[in-house]
């Protein structure tokens, strides 16, 4: 048992930050004397979220490359060079035993500089379509932990370990009763419940859909738990009623998942992994505004296994009611989708990722 030192790097979105924190927590549980340092991108959400989780973080001046021709792109090479220099200094000073990258801009310079100094590195790729940073790092790392089959399309097969994605620990042991969950939301035990998830900030398009379909849900005697997001709460809270519960943020995901009969959700990697553990029939509406359209690819990977339904944003107006009714009116289809989704769950992902990290520790 050495006093190990770990650098974790990833960020830009909750989908990169949350797995990094989960991995750090599991490492800390196994190695209480270990020292941890996070490296993120300046002015991104990790600079706020990581300290809240109890870890130190340093920011790099890195920013994403804009896909359109913009003035910001002129500064991109300079930010990369400055970030590589700073990352090199951080690695040399901290002297980590292993460096773990969970995707996002900041992990690129950190893992590059660590690997050049002979420090073993581990990548964790959450999506079914690998991100740019992780693809660039594939030859510099010892292990790549993935959540989907077929990742040989992006990474060397001999480095891939299928572990799954870390999820909130309270989800793997969900033990609340249906009456307790529905009681929390003051909803009826006699009506079917639809849970709508647009992500922590919310999704304008999903909110517009739900708003336009409130009469449709009412016609089917459906009650709603509608997580509209912090950005949109003031706009949609007026729809709060006995059968429609409008939430800005979900404090009790275990209650929300237990209460739901059908779930409508974005298809970010974290959501997909959580929903697999929950194993409820799900309609995914992927966000088209994400890098490499990876949410669509995540959802398609489940559709191919008959484990979920997907409707693209552009088809919502024409297809939503038909698709929803087909699912809502068929208990058999609901059971098939929920069961197949649960079969894809990897609830011990965090432990398996840390098992792989521990294999690289030499003390």
């Amino acid at each position: 048992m050495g006093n190990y030192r770990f650098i974790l790097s990833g960020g830009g979105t909750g989908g990169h930050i949350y797995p990094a924190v989960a991995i750090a927590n599991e490492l800390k549980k196994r190695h209480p004397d270990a020292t941890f340092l996070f490296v993120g991108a300046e002015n991104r959400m990790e600079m706020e979220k990581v300290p809240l989780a109890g870890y130190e973080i340093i920011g790099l001046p890195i920013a994403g490359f804009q896909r359109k021709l913009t003035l910001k792109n002129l500064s991109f090479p300079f930010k990369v060079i400055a970030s590589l220099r700073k990352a090199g200094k951080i690695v040399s000073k901290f002297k980590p035993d292993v460096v773990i990258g969970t995707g996002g801009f900041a992990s690129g310079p950190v893992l590059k500089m660590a690997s050049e100094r002979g420090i073993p590195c581990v990548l964790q790729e959450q999506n079914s379509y690998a991100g740019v940073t992780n693809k660039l790092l594939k030859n510099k790392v010892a292990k790549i932990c993935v959540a989907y089959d077929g990742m040989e399309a992006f990474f060397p097969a001999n480095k891939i370990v299928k572990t799954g994605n870390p999820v909130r620990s309270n989800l793997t042991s969900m033990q609340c009763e249906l009456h307790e969950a529905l009681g929390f939301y003051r909803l009826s035990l006699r009506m079917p419940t639809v849970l709508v998830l647009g992500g922590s900030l919310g999704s304008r398009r999903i909110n517009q859909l739900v708003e336009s379909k409130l009469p449709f849900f009412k016609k089917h005697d459906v009650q709603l738990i509608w997580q509209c997001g912090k950005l949109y709460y003031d706009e949609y809270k007026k729809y709060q009623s006995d059968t429609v519960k409008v939430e800005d943020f979900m404090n009790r995901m275990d209650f929300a998942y237990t209460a739901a009969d059908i779930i409508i959700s974005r298809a970010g990697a974290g959501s997909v992994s959580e929903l697999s553990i929950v194993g409820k029939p799900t309609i995914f509406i992927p966000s088209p505004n994400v890098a490499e359209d990876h949410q669509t690819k995540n959802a398609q990977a489940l559709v191919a296994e008959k484990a979920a339904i997907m409707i693209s944003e552009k088809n919502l107006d024409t297809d939503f009611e038909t698709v929803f009714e087909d699912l809502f009116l068929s208990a058999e289809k609901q059971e098939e989708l929920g069961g197949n989704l649960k079969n894809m769950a990897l609830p011990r992902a965090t432990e398996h990722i840390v098992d792989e990290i521990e294999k690289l520790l030499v003390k």
Side-chain angles (χ1 to χ4, degrees), residues 212-223:
S212 70
K213 299 301 177 193
L214 287 172
F216 168 78
F217 288 126
K218 192 170 184 179
K219 181 183 91 176
H220 285 291
D221 277 332
V222 165
Q223 52 194 4

Side-chain angles (χ1 to χ4, degrees), residues 100-152:
I100 300 116
T102 57
F105 317 131
S107 61
V110 180
L111 273 79
K112 183 180 189 310
M113 300 316 274
S115 66
E116 284 177 6
R117 287 160 172 74
I119 295 160
C121 298
V122 176
L123 275 185
Q124 199 258 326
E125 172 57 63
Q126 297 97 35
N127 293 294
S128 63
Y129 191 92
V132 175
T133 306
N134 282 357
K135 283 191 284 192
L136 290 171
L137 291 166
K138 66 185 179 189
N139 296 320
K140 300 186 182 301
V141 300
K143 280 275 181 263
I144 304 168
C145 296
V146 302
Y148 290 89
D149 293 322
M151 298 304 285
E152 298 82 8

Side-chain angles (χ1 to χ4, degrees), residues 64-323:
F65 189 76
Q66 306 294 314
R67 280 168 173 69
K68 300 183 187 73
L69 277 172
T70 68
L71 285 171
K72 279 185 181 169
N73 281 346
L74 295 175
S75 66
F76 179 74
F78 302 102
K79 286 184 172 177
V80 170
I81 292 161
S83 296
L84 284 165
R85 276 204 198 112
K86 190 168 179 183
K89 285 178 185 163
I90 291 167
V91 170
S92 296
K93 188 178 171 191
F94 188 79
K95 297 185 172 58
D97 293 289
V98 179
V99 175
I100 300 116
T102 57
F105 317 131
S107 61
V110 180
L111 273 79
K112 183 180 189 310
M113 300 316 274
S115 66
E116 284 177 6
R117 287 160 172 74
I119 295 160
C121 298
V122 176
L123 275 185
Q124 199 258 326
E125 172 57 63
Q126 297 97 35
N127 293 294
S128 63
Y129 191 92
V132 175
T133 306
N134 282 357
K135 283 191 284 192
L136 290 171
L137 291 166
K138 66 185 179 189
N139 296 320
K140 300 186 182 301
V141 300
K143 280 275 181 263
I144 304 168
C145 296
V146 302
Y148 290 89
D149 293 322
M151 298 304 285
E152 298 82 8
F154 309 102
F155 302 127
N158 62 334
K159 294 185 179 184
I160 294 174
V161 186
K162 188 180 176 189
T163 55
N165 287 325
V167 295
R168 282 176 265 215
S169 53
N170 62 342
L171 286 182
T172 51
S173 56
M174 271 204 323
Q175 287 176 337
C176 51
E177 300 290 330
L178 180 61
H179 67 86
E180 189 188 0
L182 289 168
F184 179 78
Y185 290 106
R186 299 182 303 287
L187 289 170
S188 165
L189 272 163
R190 291 185 295 279
M191 290 170 75
T193 306
V194 172
L195 169 63
V196 181
L197 300 170
S200 55
L201 296 176
S203 153
R204 172 161 288 289
R205 188 64 190 90
I206 290 179
N207 288 335
Q208 288 168 339
L209 171 80
V210 174
E211 181 179 38
S212 70
K213 299 301 177 193
L214 287 172
F216 168 78
F217 288 126
K218 192 170 184 179
K219 181 183 91 176
H220 285 291
D221 277 332
V222 165
Q223 52 194 4
L224 284 182
I225 301 170
W226 176 9
Q227 188 251 320
C228 65
K230 289 179 180 174
L231 297 179
Y232 304 104
Y233 183 70
D234 287 342
E235 193 177 338
Y236 292 106
K237 64 184 178 188
K238 63 186 178 207
Y239 294 112
Q240 188 87 283
S241 71
D242 287 348
T243 56
V244 179
K245 304 301 172 183
V246 184
E247 303 278 331
D248 57 349
F249 183 78
M250 292 295 196
N251 290 314
R252 290 297 304 264
M253 284 310 302
D254 53 341
F255 283 156
Y257 287 138
T258 300
D261 294 292
I262 290 174
I263 297 170
I264 297 168
S265 174
R266 284 300 199 200
S271 301
V272 168
S273 297
E274 285 194 359
L275 290 166
S276 302
I277 286 168
V278 172
K280 297 274 177 96
T282 301
I283 298 171
F284 285 111
I285 302 171
S287 168
N289 314 313
V290 292
E292 279 92 34
D293 197 19
H294 66 249
Q295 287 203 7
T296 298
K297 288 157 184 143
N298 291 346
Q300 283 168 337
L302 296 178
V303 171
E305 301 291 331
K306 293 191 170 60
I309 293 169
M310 180 184 94
I311 311 175
S312 59
E313 277 197 0
K314 64 179 189 293
N315 299 328
L316 280 174
D317 293 335
T318 52
D319 295 0
F320 179 79
E321 290 191 9
T322 317
V323 170

